[in-house]
Each structure stands twice: as C-alpha cells, then as structure tokens.
Amino acid sequence: MNKEILQFTILFFIMVLVQVLICNHIAIFDVAMPIVFIYFLIRLPISLGLSVLFTLAFVLGFTVDIFSDTPGVNALACTLLAALRRPVYYAYVPRDDKTKDLIPSISSLGVGTYSKYLVGSLLFPEFFNRIF
C-alpha cells in the first residue's frame, strides 16, 4: 500500500507540473488548452473511499487553479469528475469482486473497455458543466 501511495503522490506532482509548466502555455487555435492533469483522477483505484477521492480531486483542481489563474473552474470540474467516476466505470465493467479493486488501465481493462471508460469520464462532466 505504501508503494501505491508513493506512486500516486509522484503522479500527482508530475501531472500538476506538466499542466502548469507546459500545457498552460499551449493554446490550440487561441481557444482551447490541453488538460492532462485529470489523468491522475482517472488512474486512481475505484475502491478508494469517497472522502479521500473528493479531497484529492478538489486539491488537484485547486492547485491547478492557483497556477492557472482560474478561480475555481478546475476545482469544480475535478470534483464533478470524481463524483461521476464510479458510475461511469460500472457502466462498462461488471460489478463483481474481481473488478472492485482494479486500478483502471489498458492492461487491466483492455483497450476497448478502457477507451469507453475514458471517453465517458471525460464527456459526462463536460455535459453537466454545460447544463449548469
């Protein structure tokens, strides 16, 4: 368990640094910016407790907000992604004891299922952000 915590801590800092130092300075058609830091949330284990998940999601989004000068936008999006992550996962993966402790990846889910999970995770929060 300590090895996983260390790996996810390193992943957290790498994703924030890549986002802040590289991706925030890239503008696609002067409109859009690549967002890579949410990979940290998508990669977290599904069995992670909700309080820990929401805390990590908010801290991740707030950290990127501080460096990006966007007041609360990323914190809201990350928290919404954390809330919708488990239902999206179980929409494509059957609920049983073998899939409960998996860390979502291509090797554990397969290319097709992982692609569906990624697309669903990325589109559902965007859909709900546009509604509200």
Side-chain angles (χ1 to χ4, degrees):
M1 188 63 169
N2 290 333
K3 182 180 174 184
E4 287 180 0
I5 292 173
L6 181 64
Q7 287 176 345
F8 283 115
T9 304
I10 292 170
L11 181 63
F12 180 90
F13 286 115
I14 288 173
M15 289 291 108
V16 169
L17 284 174
V18 167
Q19 182 67 40
V20 169
L21 297 176
I22 298 171
C23 292
N24 281 355
H25 301 292
I26 298 172
I28 302 170
F29 301 116
D30 291 329
V31 176
M33 176 185 344
I35 297 185
V36 297
F37 67 94
I38 58 173
Y39 176 72
F40 173 77
L41 293 175
I42 290 172
R43 184 79 174 148
L44 287 173
I46 294 298
S47 61
L48 192 65
L50 288 179
S51 60
V52 175
L53 180 64
F54 284 139
T55 303
L56 287 173
F58 180 78
V59 168
L60 176 68
F62 189 67
T63 305
V64 173
D65 279 334
I66 289 172
F67 292 110
S68 301
D69 213 15
T70 53
V73 173
N74 293 312
L76 173 67
C78 286
T79 307
L80 186 59
L81 175 61
L84 295 174
R85 204 173 81 97
R86 198 173 285 169
V88 169
Y89 177 78
Y90 284 124
Y92 302 114
V93 178
R95 282 185 194 237
D96 58 3
D97 291 335
K98 289 186 275 183
T99 61
K100 188 177 85 170
D101 293 330
L102 282 179
I103 296 175
S105 67
I106 291 177
S107 61
S108 64
L109 297 176
V111 175
T113 305
Y114 187 68
S115 299
K116 291 177 192 176
Y117 168 67
L118 278 178
V119 170
S121 294
L122 298 177
L123 290 182
F124 284 146
E126 180 64 29
F127 175 71
F128 283 115
N129 273 340
R130 291 190 186 269
I131 290 176
F132 301 112

